[in-house]
Amino acid sequence: MPDDDFLRSILWDQWHLAPSGMTALPPTVMSHGWEFTAGSEVYVTRLADLGLRQSVEAGLAVASHLRGRRIDAGEPVRTLSGALTVATPHGVLAVLRRLPGRRLDGRDPVDQQWWGERLGAVHRCLQHFRHPGLRPWQLLEADAAHLDAEPWLRETVTAAVAAATRLAVTDRLTYGVLHGDPSPEIFVLDASTGRSGLLFCGASGTGPLVHDVAAAVAYAGGPEHAGEFLDGYLAAGPVGGDELDAALPVMLRLRWAVQAVRAARFGCAAALGTAREALGSMPG
């Protein structure tokens, strides 16, 4: 991970921004982020793997598209040379102006309603959005070498991938633009205006929208803790209740398998243990 001095140097050289403070945001599956103040404005900067550069830039294009349709999202800030992102030794970096408001708390029932409603509205707004950087949804590769990190891991991942494959083949799923990592902390609520939005659009791709819903439910702690989120999503999103009932358990298992694979790949024992516990508690 880059230190503050490295980030300050890049932000000055590439964006001519001089941060007066820098606060790390809660980490997500696909990227790391920081908030900082420069002059009179507050910004968010995100760092993702270099291989995700096209997807990150697609996510920035998604943000601009949403803003043009009256859905609040962080405004991408181009570099001095006009680029959307910068490649660094630590990954690809992007900067957005931060929306006003507080980050949502995924444990709060009222905040869950805002969270679900905003994700549903974003999915609906992006139904006809196209961008060359949007990657098609891909399932995990069950033959990767790092799946030997734990004796249970390969079998669990293989089963999750097989179930998701059967679902995609046999059920009519609603496809669209995925956020990829819709944690509650990237959604904000401005109490002074009652408006909600999202700080950034992640490494976007295309696939079954219930995959995003499952990712959010995982952040909430599972379906038993995500009722208000799901109600909010169903009120605003394009995925119906019958599809959610059929597909959510399968996609939730796949999401936890993804978490386990990433934890094994990067040698994070705590995260691997959390994923194993979640997978073991799921029915089926």
Side-chain angles (χ1 to χ4, degrees), residues 14-15 53 57 60 77-86 93:
Q14 298 294 330
W15 282 273
R53 186 170 191 173
E57 294 194 353
L60 297 172
V77 180
R78 290 184 178 270
T79 67
L80 297 174
S81 64
L84 282 169
T85 60
V86 169
L93 200 68

Side-chain angles (χ1 to χ4, degrees), residues 97-162:
R97 286 186 176 84
R98 191 201 191 281
L99 291 177
R102 64 170 179 83
R103 292 191 293 275
L104 297 184
D105 181 351
R107 299 164 297 180
D108 181 271
V110 176
D111 278 11
Q112 277 201 17
Q113 285 275 353
W114 285 107
W115 180 19
E117 187 277 335
R118 279 296 83 183
L119 181 60
V122 167
H123 280 172
R124 190 171 292 280
C125 179
L126 296 174
Q127 283 186 295
H128 303 292
F129 179 80
R130 301 290 183 271
H131 188 279
L134 291 172
R135 295 182 173 184
W137 182 63
Q138 292 183 326
L139 291 169
L140 294 167
E141 295 183 3
D143 58 351
H146 54 264
L147 296 187
D148 291 327
E150 294 284 344
W152 57 271
L153 186 55
R154 189 177 302 279
E155 181 180 356
T156 300
V157 169
T158 300
V161 169

